[in-house]
Amino acid sequence: ERDGGAGGGDGAREAGGCVDLTSNEYLRPPAQGRYRFQVLAAADSAYISAQSSPFAVRPPADLCGICGGDSTSCAGCDFVPNSGKRVDLCGICGGRNACVGCDAIAFSGQVYDECGVCSGDNESCRGCDNLLYPPPQQRARPDACGVCGGRDESCRLPPALGLLPSYPGGRVCVGQPLRIWWRAPTNRSSADFV
């Protein structure tokens, strides 16, 4: 029963402000207001055997699912309900943060250098030949002989050696032990020459 007036239903029978429901029927309140459910002892009886607490029927739900709402509670920044659009860090509705630098700060102007370093100066992947080697490339480095991009071939053989200065004039007598100095190239160990 609607307090102060008649109710309405889908497929329900109405009599004097009440709606008579049979099994598998349901009530759809036709208007806003306060309602309550009552169970009468018989269809022609005024005796109420049970009743619910009054409840309010509010205006229809808006596009956000809010009764009596104005569809703004779920509207995006474009004012369209349920669009999901938000203002990005650049202040653009539905934007993609195009003004955000590689440091995650809006309008910082910071960008990745050729080496993939935020705000870098391209030095971290610059080779000894002054060329850039962006990752995953390996930059050119000096070899053990000091040759940029070399393979240690330029100082490979022969090793440097000579007589120690303890021999005056470089003369050695027969049977006298020789004392020499020598240096293995940087790409070899001395064990390669012993």
Side-chain angles (χ1 to χ4, degrees), residues 12-25:
R13 289 169 297 286
E14 225 176 289
C18 295
V19 177
D20 184 19
L21 299 176
T22 60
S23 64
N24 298 325
E25 291 183 303

Side-chain angles (χ1 to χ4, degrees), residues 1-170:
E1 170 184 32
R2 181 175 180 191
D3 288 350
D10 292 342
R13 289 169 297 286
E14 225 176 289
C18 295
V19 177
D20 184 19
L21 299 176
T22 60
S23 64
N24 298 325
E25 291 183 303
Y26 57 92
L27 175 70
R28 285 193 184 172
Q32 301 177 54
R34 292 182 52 78
Y35 292 83
R36 66 181 169 192
F37 291 107
Q38 295 178 336
V39 177
L40 303 176
D44 57 354
S45 170
Y47 176 74
I48 300 171
S49 57
Q51 84 178 4
S52 71
S53 297
F55 60 93
V57 174
R58 302 184 193 275
D62 67 2
L63 295 173
C64 304
I66 307 296
C67 287
D70 60 1
S71 298
T72 58
S73 64
C74 66
C77 58
D78 56 355
F79 305 107
V80 175
N82 299 309
S83 72
K85 290 188 176 181
R86 302 281 180 256
V87 175
D88 71 358
L89 294 174
C90 309
I92 307 295
C93 179
R96 297 183 181 199
N97 295 321
C99 70
V100 176
C102 60
D103 56 357
I105 298 174
F107 304 106
S108 70
Q110 302 299 317
V111 295
Y112 288 102
D113 69 0
E114 293 293 324
C115 305
V117 176
C118 182
S119 302
D121 58 2
N122 292 329
E123 290 303 314
S124 65
C125 67
R126 186 177 303 278
C128 57
D129 54 2
N130 209 29
L131 298 177
L132 295 180
Y133 294 87
Q137 299 177 45
Q138 295 294 319
R139 65 182 173 162
R141 298 177 185 270
D143 68 1
C145 305
V147 176
C148 181
R151 296 188 211 155
D152 298 327
E153 298 297 320
S154 62
C155 61
R156 188 172 68 148
L157 290 176
L161 67 115
L163 289 175
L164 286 173
S166 60
Y167 300 101

